[in-house]
Amino acid sequence: MTADAMTASTADAGPEVHGRRDAEGTKAAIIRAARYLLARHAHADITLRAVAERAGVSPPLILKYFGNKDALFARVMNFETDADALLDAPLAGLGRHMVHHLLTGQAEHGADPILRIVFAPLHGEQGDILRSNFRTQVAQRLGERLEGPDAGLRAELAVGTLLGLGVMYGIARGPHVRGTPIAEITERYAPTVQGFLTPP
């Protein structure tokens, strides 16, 4: 199973600042590399050396920034920061924002805020952590913003609808979806997502 659009096709070592590696850029490269590998291999099979090679850094540098493999993957399996950006819009226009954010993240940055949840079955007990984080940090958080009946259900349906688009765009790589401008896909798809957020 692959997810080329979930992460950058290459994870560079990070920008150089005055001849020294920029720490934040390097951390970001390491996290991108870990996400890339997590979308293709079981958690237990991923080594720090593999992450380091993918990120273009040394294994000791990963230990310096993250402490150990478990701490690194705890960051990778956390959705809080991604959810901040995904849900950063007024409720009336949130469906449009979520669709546009998902597609532009994949198309322009090779990153996806939530699609890695579909690989939870690969990761055993770590997959349970991924599921739990996703439920509380994305679906439940969205539900808390909604008004009216069945807010939790509507939030899960909205997120599920968004994930379907992400799978078609980033994993199945549907040629018609990928060949259509993001603005047009957003225009067509956003009302479906918004319908769960602010039902008539």
Side-chain angles (χ1 to χ4, degrees):
M1 187 180 293
T2 62
D4 292 338
M6 288 182 62
T7 52
S9 58
T10 59
D12 59 30
E16 297 288 329
V17 178
H18 303 300
R20 295 182 302 173
R21 192 182 310 283
D22 173 61
E24 291 306 312
T26 301
K27 290 178 183 178
I30 292 168
I31 290 172
R32 285 197 304 270
R35 283 188 177 184
Y36 180 94
L37 293 170
L38 194 67
R40 291 158 173 80
H41 307 282
H43 173 269
D45 296 334
I46 302 172
T47 65
L48 282 182
R49 181 172 298 280
V51 176
E53 289 178 357
R54 180 76 194 172
V57 302
S58 66
L61 193 59
I62 297 179
L63 295 176
K64 173 184 176 181
Y65 286 138
F66 296 97
N68 54 43
K69 175 182 170 180
D70 288 342
L72 169 61
F73 280 94
R75 286 280 300 273
V76 173
M77 293 181 180
N78 189 292
F79 293 91
E80 285 185 350
T81 300
D82 293 309
D84 286 344
L86 181 69
L87 304 178
D88 186 23
L91 187 58
L94 185 56
R96 178 178 299 277
H97 170 79
M98 291 168 71
V99 171
H100 187 265
H101 181 74
L102 179 86
L103 295 176
T104 55
Q106 290 185 351
E108 298 176 8
H109 308 296
D112 188 284
I114 57 174
L115 194 55
R116 61 191 181 277
I117 187 59
V118 303
F119 299 100
L122 289 175
H123 305 304
E125 292 182 1
Q126 297 296 324
D128 293 337
I129 295 172
L130 195 64
R131 291 185 187 94
S132 178
N133 288 345
F134 183 83
R135 288 193 299 264
T136 59
Q137 296 167 0
V138 180
Q140 182 177 320
R141 180 174 168 186
L142 175 59
E144 290 169 353
R145 291 189 58 184
L146 304 186
E147 300 175 354
D150 301 319
L153 173 62
R154 288 161 40 217
E156 290 181 1
L157 291 172
V159 172
T161 302
L162 193 66
L163 283 171
L165 177 61
V167 168
M168 181 54 69
Y169 192 94
I171 298 177
R173 302 179 71 83
H176 299 288
V177 172
R178 294 183 68 86
T180 300
I182 287 175
E184 182 178 341
I185 296 297
T186 301
E187 193 69 24
R188 291 188 179 205
Y189 206 81
T192 300
V193 177
Q194 190 67 39
F196 293 117
L197 306 179
T198 54

